[in-house]
Amino acid sequence: MKNLKKYAIVGTGSRSTMFRNAILNTYANTCELVALCDVNPLRMQAWQKTVNLDLPTYAPAEFEKMIEQHSVDVVIVTSVDRTHHEYICRAMEAGCDVVSEKPMTVDTEKCSQILETQQRTGKKLTVTFNYRYAPRNSKVKELLQSGIIGNVTSVHFEWMLDTKHGADYFRRWHRDKRNSGGLMVHKSTHHFDLVNWWLSSRPETVMAMGDLRFYGRENAENRGEPRFYTRGTGDALAANDPFALDMNQEADLKSLYYDCESADGYQRDQNVFGDGISIEDDIGVMVRYQNKTVMTYHLVAFAPWEGYRVAFNGTKGRLEIDVTEKSYVSAGEGDHNLSRNVKGGSTHQVVEPTTLLYRPHWGEPQKIELEESNTGGHGGADAILLRDVFGEPQEDSLGRAAGHEDGALSILTGIAANQSMATGLPVKISEMFPQL
Ligand SMILES: NC(=O)c1ccc[n+]([C@@H]2O[C@H](COP(=O)([O-])OP(=O)(O)OC[C@H]3O[C@@H](n4cnc5c(N)ncnc54)[C@H](O)[C@@H]3O)[C@@H](O)[C@H]2O)c1
């Protein structure tokens, strides 16, 4: 019988189910899931129940014991961002390769620790930047790499998170900057990684301005729209708020989070207009890259629609991509077109087609045909990423597989942006993090 590669997962929340399902189904001939680790034993049980698994489970203090007892080859890290460095380093020290969700970590000290441990142990660390694999984003890379618009001198990049998805970062652990590094690290790591990869360059200087302008108690009160509840589940005061998440209405969330609260007190449904939010929701960033390209970037987390727009100015023309991921969010009541009628907003799946436009100097604009995929999450990206993580090595002229250096470079822009927001000054990456 073929030797199966043995995987363990640390952090059995919602994101880890993508890796679990890939191992159990598509890659069952080569991969085996052997053990789980999480702070919450109830969640590990609930997570297994939905797919009829009965794997051994371990507390964080037993992580090394788990690796030893099951001869784990690869650890998949899908825990809270603030803990990634700990498991990445402990796994590599114990002789394992690691697949880590983004962001690789949340600050420069933890990033140093990861790079030092990787260098010393020589183990492989893969950071799963799924957005690189979306066919539309790969097409942009291919066109820029072909030199179609000459040298890229500047990039204008705007990312909208809607009032359903964007709000979710303000309901749970992400809302505390110590856990997630704020949206500049937690979310924009995807976008900054795309730009590093698209431009084949590294960030040099970062300047940012941003604030909490929409979510949070003070903003709601200033608008005359205070919400006097702590959490969305089981509170009558939350009943008519489209931002409130009622986990009793969502069977998956109820079993994975609400029913497991007695073990760790993790509340998945906090009031986004409550106290204790230390992250920003509207941020502008300027980045100068080592190849002299300048990017203006904007992230907003309370937009009426979700998607992104990027324009590349080059010495031979311009490339523009417009992607609508969700057209709008319904408040959830009295709308007959809803796909699901739940609180917290129900997103319509009406999506305008992605457009990729090449505008050459002295010529007509040309629409570039795109191969769009509906299989798997993130515009087909997740399925291709999983093939790279669990399947046979693929020939890839676009260099999409991301290692520890890419992981580090993508968070350094966000960490520098956080520093710049705090001081009001530009940050030179080489001074902030001379190790790379
Ligand atoms: N690439 C993507 O598109 C994408 C999408 C969603 C989430 N993610 C990433 O996946 C990770 C998990 O996100 P999620 O939405 O599943 O979060 P989640 O809150 O659903 O799950 C996190 C899990 O980590 C566990 N945990 C907390 N502290 C721990 C500790 N000290 N040791 C071990 N386990 C601990 C929690 O109990 C929970 O089960 C995050 O890093 C996030 O950035 C990536």
Side-chain angles (χ1 to χ4, degrees), residues 182 242 384:
I384 312 173

Side-chain angles (χ1 to χ4, degrees), residues 26 39 84 186 193 198 200 395-396 415:
T26 320
V39 278
H84 286 182
H186 176 81
D193 173 68
W198 276 331
S200 303
E395 177 69 28
D396 186 6
I415 294 170

Side-chain angles (χ1 to χ4, degrees), residues 10-16 37-40 43 60 78-84 86-87 101-103 128 130-131 172-174 186 190 257 264 266 378:
V10 55
T12 58
S14 55
R15 182 61 176 171
S16 63
C37 176
D38 198 291
V39 278
N40 190 323
R43 183 152 35 252
T78 45
S79 52
V80 169
D81 302 351
R82 143 191 115 241
T83 66
H84 286 182
E86 181 189 335
Y87 292 110
E101 256 302 348
K102 50 52 57 174
T128 50
N130 43 354
Y131 270 100
R172 45 189 184 136
W173 52 266
H174 314 70
H186 176 81
H190 274 307
Y257 301 97
D264 63 0
Y266 174 9
H378 298 98

Side-chain angles (χ1 to χ4, degrees), residues 27 52 61 97 101 128 139 192 218 259 273 401 404 426 433:
Y27 300 99
N52 291 320
D97 288 333
E101 256 302 348
T128 50
K139 189 72 190 173
F192 297 143
E218 206 181 321
D259 295 345
F273 300 108
H404 55 277
F433 197 80

Side-chain angles (χ1 to χ4, degrees), residues 57-303:
T57 59
Y58 292 81
E62 303 170 314
F63 184 71
E64 284 77 11
K65 183 168 133 194
M66 170 184 82
I67 290 174
E68 198 192 324
Q69 285 188 338
H70 300 281
S71 308
V72 173
D73 297 303
V74 184
V75 173
I76 297 174
V77 180
T78 45
S79 52
V80 169
D81 302 351
R82 143 191 115 241
T83 66
H84 286 182
H85 72 294
E86 181 189 335
Y87 292 110
I88 291 171
C89 293
R90 285 170 71 182
M92 291 194 291
E93 298 281 11
C96 297
D97 288 333
V98 181
V99 174
S100 173
E101 256 302 348
K102 50 52 57 174
M104 191 171 86
T105 187
V106 295
D107 62 39
T108 50
E109 291 76 24
K110 295 180 176 74
C111 188
S112 276
Q113 193 189 333
I114 292 173
L115 297 187
E116 187 279 316
T117 309
Q118 190 285 325
Q119 209 164 31
R120 186 162 40 73
T121 60
K123 301 314 291 184
K124 184 175 175 200
L125 168 58
T126 305
V127 183
T128 50
F129 284 119
N130 43 354
Y131 270 100
R132 288 186 178 198
Y133 292 84
R136 55 190 178 231
N137 295 335
S138 295
K139 189 72 190 173
V140 168
K141 170 75 178 170
E142 193 186 310
L143 291 168
L144 294 176
Q145 200 168 266
S146 76
I148 192 171
I149 60 164
N151 288 333
V152 178
T153 56
S154 57
V155 181
H156 187 60
F157 191 160
E158 194 186 9
W159 198 288
M160 278 67 58
L161 294 169
D162 67 26
T163 47
K164 182 181 175 74
H165 184 199
D168 217 31
Y169 299 113
F170 297 81
R171 290 192 183 108
R172 45 189 184 136
W173 52 266
H174 314 70
R175 70 199 328 247
D176 181 339
K177 211 168 198 174
R178 293 169 300 182
N179 287 332
S180 63
L183 293 180
M184 280 290 99
V185 174
H186 176 81
K187 190 70 198 170
S188 305
T189 182
H190 274 307
H191 318 151
F192 297 143
D193 173 68
L194 274 177
V195 180
N196 294 344
W197 175 65
W198 276 331
L199 298 179
S200 303
S201 192
R202 292 173 169 218
E204 186 187 72
T205 309
V206 178
M207 176 111 202
M209 292 181 198
D211 216 332
L212 184 68
R213 299 296 312 278
F214 181 73
Y215 300 108
R217 189 196 335 204
E218 206 181 321
N219 288 317
E221 285 181 354
N222 287 343
R223 287 193 300 272
E225 299 165 354
R227 266 81 158 184
F228 301 109
Y229 60 91
T230 309
R231 57 183 309 185
T233 309
D235 190 329
L237 289 173
N240 295 318
D241 183 0
F243 283 96
L245 175 70
D246 182 351
M247 291 195 281
N248 283 325
Q249 307 282 332
E250 302 248 13
D252 295 354
L253 295 184
K254 184 173 181 305
S255 63
L256 200 58
Y257 301 97
Y258 192 61
D259 295 345
C260 304
E261 285 181 8
S262 62
D264 63 0
Y266 174 9
Q267 294 187 350
R268 174 76 182 72
D269 59 345
Q270 294 173 69
N271 180 2
V272 301
F273 300 108
D275 285 321
I277 296 174
S278 53
I279 64 173
E280 301 80 13
D281 57 15
D282 194 331
I283 311 146
V285 187
M286 272 187 95
V287 185
R288 186 180 164 90
Y289 289 83
Q290 287 180 357
N291 69 358
K292 294 189 166 37
T293 306
V294 171
M295 171 171 73
T296 45
Y297 167 89
H298 201 103
L299 179 77
V300 65
F302 49 90

Side-chain angles (χ1 to χ4, degrees), residues 363-376:
E364 284 182 17
Q366 293 167 29
K367 208 172 154 198
I368 312 276
E369 289 306 318
L370 286 168
E371 161 214 339
E372 286 288 10
S373 166
N374 291 322
T375 48

